[in-house]
Amino acid sequence: MKFTMANLLFVSLVLSSSFIQLSFAAYPAAPVSPPSPAPPSFCDSKCGERCEKAGMKDRCLKYCGICCQECKCVPSGTYGNKSECPCYRDKKNSKGNPKCP
């Protein structure tokens, strides 16, 4: 008798947990819209200043533009000052090196 009651309780718990999971799956999370990118003219002018003295200007402008679009800011000057824009500072490439010039 005790064994049958224990089995019945166990089966009911398993079934109820599967119904709970199904009920949560029925309500998808509200979509989060990504932040709007910075205007190209803003990034072009800021990255032009940032990459003015770069040895590989084309590469600098490319990566600066990518970072600017995502972060909506570019540090002042031609080198350093990355503390002004934490997003820009913290972006890393696949090797773990800084992505943004």
Side-chain angles (χ1 to χ4, degrees):
M1 178 74 172
K2 289 182 183 179
F3 183 71
T4 307
M5 269 312 246
N7 279 342
L8 183 61
L9 180 63
F10 179 72
V11 169
S12 66
L13 285 173
V14 169
L15 288 175
S16 65
S17 68
S18 65
F19 287 126
I20 289 172
Q21 288 176 351
L22 287 175
S23 66
F24 285 134
Y27 298 104
V32 177
S33 61
S36 59
S41 59
F42 170 79
C43 291
D44 291 345
S45 64
K46 288 290 194 177
C47 288
E49 292 174 22
R50 183 81 178 167
C51 298
E52 184 178 327
K53 296 181 181 178
M56 296 184 195
K57 194 168 186 173
D58 293 340
R59 186 181 295 177
C60 181
L61 288 170
K62 175 184 174 184
Y63 288 110
C64 180
I66 291 169
C67 294
C68 177
Q69 287 291 320
E70 293 176 12
C71 297
K72 299 180 190 158
C73 63
V74 175
S76 61
T78 56
Y79 184 79
N81 303 324
K82 289 188 177 182
S83 61
E84 295 175 1
C85 185
C87 171
Y88 192 95
R89 174 192 66 212
D90 297 337
K91 287 213 166 295
K92 305 287 183 197
N93 64 16
S94 60
K95 295 179 181 177
N97 296 326
K99 180 175 187 172
C100 307

